[in-house]
Amino acid sequence: MRNLKTLYVRNVLEDLIKKKVAVGIFIVICAVLFGMLGIVQGGKAVTETEEQKQEIEEYNAKIAEYDSAIEDTQNAIAEADKQIESLQEYIDNSIYMQIDPNNIQTVSVQYGLKTSNNVGSILNSFITYINDGGLKEELSDADEDLKVKYWRDVVSCYQSSNNLIVTVVHSDMDQAKRIMSIIKERVMNYVPKVKNLQGDFSLEELKTSEYVKTDTGVVNNQNNNRNNLKNYTTNRADLNNKLIGFQNSKKTYIEKNEPDNLKAADTNTKVLMVAYILLGILFGAVIAFVIVALKYILGDTLRTANDIKESDLSLLGTYSALNQYKPDLERSKMDVEVLAKAKNADKVFFYVMSDDEISKKVSKDYEESLKASGIAVETGNNISESAEELKKMIACGNCVFIAEVGKTTYRQLEQQTRLCERFKTAVLGCVVVE
C-alpha cells in the first residue's frame, strides 16, 4: 500500500493557505525584525573622516575616467564594425567592384533636345532624376538580378550643348544593355513631368553605342575601396588593443588603490534596509513551510480525505456535520453495492476505526441503506484483538473502513490493510468522517 503519510506532505502548501493569516503575521514580524537589523548595519556603513571622504572621491573620479574612456572606445569599435561590414558588403556584391578595368563593357545613349526654353534647366532635371531619383526605384521581379542599389556607380550622365549623354559600364555587356533599356524607359516616362515644370520640348534618342574601353580610374577607385577596408580593419584592431589596455589599467588601479572603507561608504542605508526586509520575508516563508512540513512528517493522524483519495484505497464518500454525506448516502451506497456484487458477496463488513458516536452513526446509516438492497452489514472496531470480529470479517470476504480525520492514524490504516490482505479479505474502500 502506498505510504499515506508521505502523500500528505504534498498538502503542505494547501495547509499554509488555510492558515494564511497566521503565516502572514509571522512573515511580517520576520520582515520587521530583519528591516531593523538592516538599519543597524546601514548605520555602521559611514565614512568616519574627511580624509577618507577625499580619498574615496578621488578614487571614484579616476574610475569614472577609465569608464568613460572604455565606453568611448567601445563606441568607436562599434562604428568601425559598421564601416567594415558596409564596405565589405559593397566590395563583395557591387557591380563596380567586379569590373575589369582593361575590359569595361560600355553602353552609351545620346538624346537630342529641341526647345525654345532654357536648355540647361531641362537637361539638369533629367540629370538629377538619373543620378538621385529614378534609378533608386525598385525593379520588377524579373530584373532583380540587376542590383539596382549599385547602379549609382556604373551609370553616369552629362550635358553636351543640346544633348544628354547617358553611359552604363559593366563587367557583362548583356547586363549593361538590360540596365540601359530600363533607363531609357524611365527617362521617356519622366518627360511629361519635366514638361509640366519647364514648358514644352521634345527629347529624341539620337543613337546608342556599345563598346569596350580601358579606364585606369576604375582600378584606382577599386584599390581605394580595398585599401579603405584594410585601414578600417587595422583601426578596429588598434581600438581593440586600446580597449584591453584601458580595462587592464582600470583593474590594476582598483587592485592597488581601492579604499578599504569604499564598500561601507557606498552602502545606502535605505537599500540595505529593503534588502534585509526581503530577506526577512523569504526567511519567514521558509520557516513557516518547514514548521508545517515537520508537523505533517512527525504527526500520525489522518488529516484530510485527500490522503485516502491519493492512496491505493478507494474513497467511497465523506461525512461531516455541516455538509452531511458527499456524495449523498444513496450514491455512495451504490458504489459499495456494486463492489460487493462484483465479488459475489451478500455481506459487507464495516470496520469502524474510531470508537465515537459519529463514526457509529455513519456505520448505522450505511447498514440501513444497504439492507434495502439485500446486502447485510456486519460491524466491528477491534479486529486486531477480537477473534469474533475477525471471523465476521473473514466470513464477509470484504471490508469497508470508516476512518475519522484527526483520530484515525496512518499506522491503523496500513496495519488493517495488511491484516485484510493476510486473511484474503478485499478492502472495498474507505468512508472518511471529517
Side-chain angles (χ1 to χ4, degrees), residues 248-301:
N248 289 337
S249 296
K250 177 184 175 181
K251 181 179 179 181
T252 301
Y253 180 81
I254 291 173
E255 291 174 352
K256 293 182 177 180
N257 300 281
E258 183 177 29
D260 295 334
N261 62 335
L262 176 67
K263 294 181 180 179
D266 285 343
T267 301
N268 186 303
T269 302
K270 291 183 179 179
V271 173
L272 194 61
M273 182 184 68
V274 171
Y276 269 78
I277 288 174
L278 293 176
L279 183 62
I281 292 173
L282 179 62
F283 176 82
V286 170
I287 293 300
F289 181 88
V290 170
I291 290 173
V292 174
L294 287 175
K295 177 183 175 182
Y296 293 159
I297 292 172
L298 299 177
D300 195 41
T301 57

Side-chain angles (χ1 to χ4, degrees), residues 256-354:
K256 293 182 177 180
N257 300 281
E258 183 177 29
D260 295 334
N261 62 335
L262 176 67
K263 294 181 180 179
D266 285 343
T267 301
N268 186 303
T269 302
K270 291 183 179 179
V271 173
L272 194 61
M273 182 184 68
V274 171
Y276 269 78
I277 288 174
L278 293 176
L279 183 62
I281 292 173
L282 179 62
F283 176 82
V286 170
I287 293 300
F289 181 88
V290 170
I291 290 173
V292 174
L294 287 175
K295 177 183 175 182
Y296 293 159
I297 292 172
L298 299 177
D300 195 41
T301 57
L302 185 66
R303 306 292 299 186
T304 174
N306 287 333
D307 292 345
I308 300 298
K309 189 183 297 183
E310 296 176 352
S311 70
D312 293 335
L313 293 175
S314 297
L315 180 64
L316 300 174
T318 62
Y319 175 83
S320 67
L322 295 177
N323 299 322
Q324 300 300 313
Y325 287 100
K326 184 180 180 182
D328 59 54
L329 182 59
E330 183 64 22
R331 174 65 182 83
S332 180
K333 182 264 295 185
M334 290 174 64
D335 286 339
V336 177
E337 182 182 349
V338 169
L339 292 170
K341 289 184 177 179
K343 299 184 179 298
N344 297 317
D346 57 1
K347 287 184 179 181
V348 176
F349 185 83
F350 275 75
Y351 180 63
V352 183
M353 294 187 171
S354 180

